[in-house]
Amino acid sequence: PLRALSERPTFTAAALAAALDAALAAIAPGSTAPGMEQLGAWARDLGALEDAGPAMAPVALDGVLAALMAGIKVTNPAPARSDIAIWGRLEARLMAPDLMILAGLNEDIWPEAADPGPWLSRGMRLAVGLEPPERQQGQAAHDFEMALGNSAVILAFSARRGTAPALPSRLLQRLEAFVGEAHGAPMRARGAHWLELARRIDAVAGPPVPATRPVPKPPRDRRPHKLSVTEIETLFRSPYDIYARHVLHLRKLAPLGEIPDARERGSMIHAVFDTFVGGGHDFAAPDAHARLMAMAEAAFAGLDAIGERRDIWLKRFERAAAEFLAFETARSPRVRQRHAEIWGRWQLPGGFVLSGKADRIDELHDGSLEIIDFKTGSIPTPKAMKAFDAPQLLLEAAMARAGAFPAVAAADASALTYVKIGLGPEALVATPFRPRDGFDMPEAADEAGRRLQALVDALLLGELPMAARIRPDTARRYGGDYDHLARTDEWTIAAGEDE
């Protein structure tokens, strides 16, 4: 019935309800599952309406059903227990059960914080004749004292709230201070029985066993034999992420309706600089800044739906554009030719292929190259550069030396430079790559290539497990796309890793 309905251009709510009821009745004839009876009654009620409502197309039917079913309740057919009741404070005052459990006896829960609210201060509340917020705390203490008059009472509080330690209520603290350790210790000893019962509920299948570090070992023919240069740092740090992306073919989906962020802004700025350099424009021309701004307006045109954001980005780009022109003008005497957003492909021994796009490769008058990486995010630390933990620029230098970029003659790179595109006074800051002591730039590039070849031989052309987070970046403030898949939080906590 549902398939037949979906082939119609339009239908009414009553027809949708009837088709859904008929389909479920065919799938589970005679079912007494919770909700089946209410579903049939709901469908009959819709069909009995004189006004069938507007016709609708077969799209977004989950939202349609949610609206049509709003207010319909399905009760649990299982009989409720008669020996357990959950009451509020007022109800509890009127009852005398066999066992009273006072739950949530934590500070700021019972009693609640004395908050006067966002509109009136404490003095203003008193001035207009309202009760002071502390009265609620006094009422909570009164409820607490009356509940303690029951014949048997359990006082329960949490040791933690979320991920933070929690304090017992001041009511408990004062009670314990009043009765003293001699009487307080036996109370806690009696409560240990109930705590043990609660622990047994959570451990009916044995103690919880956290996940271990995943170490998948796919066959060699399933492992990727081609990666981009931007993925090599990921291969260094967490081969599991490469496994999830290229063996399992999993990609993280962007949330629907996501607002453009720094990554999109960086892509747009790269496109503007690429267009300007590729067009052969003069950096020192009087109209150079106006040309850049016109290109930025075209690149940011996709933000028309959120014009305010577009205007802010364009305003902030003005300073970055001026700094970019000054930076390039100062370099012009050394540069013979610029190549922007240039693709390269390098095949290593064994058949592995490294590909990638360099933001900029400039041929200098002395015959060497300068490779530039424009970044809107953070740049690697000097420690990461010297430890070969930020291999992208070094590998691009190795590719250029091997002639992997068709438009650029093979040559050594004499300089590698990060250019951070920011906001405010530091709109554009150039940071030279710092190789390890004792290495010049070509030697550092060769060492990065050797390390890559060794890692490829072991992980991609060999049989070494593709483990997760073998060299985690502890300075990174955000999680990876596959941390949840690897259940990282479980085994890093179990291993005592300090993030």
Side-chain angles (χ1 to χ4, degrees):
L2 285 173
R3 291 187 60 182
L5 192 72
S6 66
E7 294 173 358
R8 294 164 52 181
T10 61
F11 45 80
T12 63
L16 174 62
L20 181 64
D21 184 38
L24 288 177
I27 292 172
S31 172
T32 58
M36 291 294 287
E37 180 181 348
Q38 288 86 347
L39 179 72
W42 167 76
R44 289 190 298 271
D45 291 344
L46 277 180
L49 294 176
E50 293 183 4
D51 184 1
M56 65 188 77
V59 294
L61 295 184
D62 54 340
V64 172
L65 284 174
L68 292 175
M69 292 179 173
I72 307 298
K73 294 183 179 180
V74 177
T75 58
N76 190 343
R81 292 187 57 162
S82 60
D83 58 339
I84 295 177
I86 300 177
W87 298 321
R89 298 175 191 172
L90 180 60
E91 297 170 291
R93 274 199 247 163
L94 305 176
M95 301 295 182
D98 297 329
L99 175 65
M100 177 81 77
I101 303 174
L102 308 188
L105 286 172
N106 284 89
E107 189 64 12
D108 292 337
I109 294 181
W110 193 354
E112 300 172 358
D115 183 11
W119 308 112
L120 299 175
S121 67
R122 185 179 183 279
M124 293 168 68
R125 289 177 64 91
L126 295 176
V128 298
L130 296 177
E131 294 179 344
E134 290 80 7
R135 175 170 171 75
Q136 296 179 359
Q137 295 185 328
Q139 188 66 54
H142 179 67
D143 295 337
F144 177 77
E145 183 271 338
M146 289 194 68
L148 284 181
N150 201 68
S151 57
V153 182
I154 292 177
L155 307 180
F157 63 95
S158 298
R160 300 183 71 82
R161 291 181 63 184
T163 59
L167 291 175
S169 167
R170 69 187 70 177
L171 306 176
L172 270 183
Q173 295 183 48
R174 292 178 180 178
L175 177 65
E176 196 167 21
F178 177 74
V179 301
E181 182 63 23
H183 294 285
M187 290 183 186
R188 290 180 177 272
R190 291 193 296 271
H193 165 73
W194 298 97
L195 292 176
E196 178 58 27
L197 293 180
R199 293 189 185 100
R200 290 183 185 181
I201 293 176
D202 292 335
V204 290
V209 179
T212 58
R213 182 194 304 265
V215 284
K217 196 175 180 181
R220 279 179 290 182
D221 60 344
R222 295 287 305 280
R223 304 187 186 205
H225 291 176
K226 178 181 178 180
L227 291 177
S228 69
V229 70
T230 56
E231 293 178 302
I232 300 305
E233 182 176 351
T234 303
L235 183 67
F236 275 25
R237 295 190 179 279
S238 185
Y240 179 86
D241 290 20
I242 300 297
Y243 162 79
R245 183 176 182 86
H246 292 281
V247 179
L248 301 182
H249 302 292
L250 298 176
R251 301 289 190 276
K252 183 177 180 180
L253 296 177
L256 293 176
E258 185 178 30
I259 296 176
D261 59 6
R263 179 178 297 180
E264 282 73 20
R265 185 179 73 236
S267 298
M268 294 175 184
I269 292 174
H270 280 191
V272 172
F273 290 165
D274 178 25
T275 303
F276 192 89
V277 174
H281 297 286
D282 183 3
F283 296 99
D287 63 343
H289 190 271
R291 286 174 179 265
L292 263 179
M293 292 306 301
M295 294 176 184
E297 288 185 15
F300 294 169
L303 301 174
D304 283 340
I306 40 178
E308 182 180 350
R309 181 177 296 272
R310 181 198 60 224
D311 295 341
I312 292 174
W313 284 13
L314 282 172
K315 187 65 177 178
R316 291 173 172 175
F317 182 74
E318 284 185 6
R319 185 177 181 89
E323 296 288 348
F324 171 73
L325 294 174
F327 169 75
E328 294 291 358
T329 301
R331 297 177 62 252
S332 291
R334 298 189 297 111
V335 179
R336 179 165 56 86
Q337 186 175 359
R338 294 175 170 88
H339 303 274
E341 300 286 331
I342 179 171
W343 280 94
R345 184 180 184 277
W346 186 29
Q347 183 165 335
L348 277 65
F352 176 80
V353 174
L354 180 66
S355 63
K357 181 174 66 174
D359 289 348
R360 279 275 296 282
I361 299 181
D362 292 350
E363 299 181 55
L364 306 182
H365 286 297
D366 62 4
S368 65
L369 305 174
E370 180 175 5
I371 302 177
I372 301 175
D373 184 15
F374 291 96
K375 301 187 78 68
T376 50
S378 59
I379 63 174
T381 63
K383 180 180 178 181
M385 297 181 199
K386 295 179 179 180
F388 297 95
D389 286 341
Q392 179 177 340
L393 281 182
L394 288 176
L395 290 174
E396 289 177 2
M399 293 173 67
R401 188 179 190 185
F405 295 98
V408 181
D412 286 331
S414 60
L416 306 177
T417 306
Y418 292 104
V419 176
K420 179 174 174 57
I421 303 170
L423 306 173
E426 297 182 352
L428 190 141
V429 178
T431 302
F433 188 94
R434 300 181 184 178
R436 178 177 292 185
D437 296 342
F439 285 82
D440 59 18
M441 207 62 74
E443 291 172 343
D446 286 344
E447 177 64 18
R450 284 192 294 270
R451 289 177 179 235
L452 172 62
Q453 183 68 63
L455 200 64
V456 165
D457 290 342
L459 283 170
L460 304 183
L461 304 180
E463 297 183 351
L464 198 67
M466 302 182 74
R469 292 169 60 92
I470 57 177
R471 297 189 66 179
D473 183 2
T474 56
R476 192 174 64 178
R477 297 188 300 273
Y478 54 90
D481 288 347
Y482 303 100
D483 285 356
H484 181 68
L485 180 68
R487 298 173 69 170
T488 303
D489 287 345
E490 291 187 44
W491 51 266
T492 51
I493 292 173
E497 180 176 329
D498 186 359
E499 289 288 297

